[in-house]
Amino acid sequence: QLHLVKHGGGSVQAGGSLRVSCGAIGDTFSDYYLAWFRRTPGKEREGVAAISPDGLNVYYADSVKGRFIIARDNARRTLLLEMSRLTPEDTGAYACAAVPRWGGVEPLEAKWRDAGNWRYWGQGSQVTVSS
């Protein structure tokens, strides 16, 4: 089992940058696939990015590609999302998610966007981008 603890978020003007992160307590962190999802006003929950246990494979939603970076530090048991060139459309609650290697999210490239494939969730960090 993995308990995810959120950090970061906040408010920024359009064009600015923010970081959100999650720390993990529990099982071996490097056994887990990790992802970021967000809830934005008026929209369904959306997969933002995902990363493999070794950090070598990353995937992004088209809406954030080239602006957001997902990264992990397995030694520090931390998942990061670096967000740049933010727009008001990025406003929302950002939550991290995790599922173990054997948890059925492989192949990651095909399955990561489905929130139902993720087992553990952190609380959402609010990100607000003003125009």
Side-chain angles (χ1 to χ4, degrees), residues 9-10 14 16 18-19 29-30 43 85 90 93 101 105-106 114-115 118-119 122 127:
L18 281 174
R19 170 192 288 187
F29 189 68
S30 57
K43 292 186 179 180
R85 290 186 281 145
D90 295 315
R101 295 175 187 267
V105 79
E106 293 176 334
D114 185 348
W118 297 87
R119 187 173 300 183
V127 170

Side-chain angles (χ1 to χ4, degrees), residues 13-116:
Q13 287 193 318
S17 301
L18 281 174
R19 170 192 288 187
V20 290
S21 64
C22 273
I25 301 169
D27 282 349
T28 303
F29 189 68
S30 57
D31 280 341
Y32 282 77
Y33 290 98
L34 303 170
W36 287 100
F37 283 77
R38 67 183 180 187
R39 286 190 186 273
T40 54
K43 292 186 179 180
E44 302 259 335
R45 181 165 49 185
E46 174 190 20
V48 175
I51 189 167
S52 59
D54 59 8
L56 294 181
N57 297 301
V58 295
Y59 303 97
Y60 296 96
D62 288 343
S63 58
V64 307
K65 205 172 290 184
R67 300 188 299 121
F68 288 15
I69 297 174
I70 186 172
R72 65 189 294 162
D73 185 333
N74 284 344
R76 295 176 185 266
R77 302 172 64 87
T78 301
L79 173 69
L80 301 170
L81 185 68
E82 298 277 2
M83 302 177 286
S84 61
R85 290 186 281 145
L86 286 160
T87 74
E89 289 69 37
D90 295 315
T91 293
Y94 286 70
C96 55
V99 64
R101 295 175 187 267
W102 53 92
V105 79
E106 293 176 334
L108 187 64
E109 184 174 10
K111 294 189 175 184
W112 73 272
R113 291 175 180 82
D114 185 348

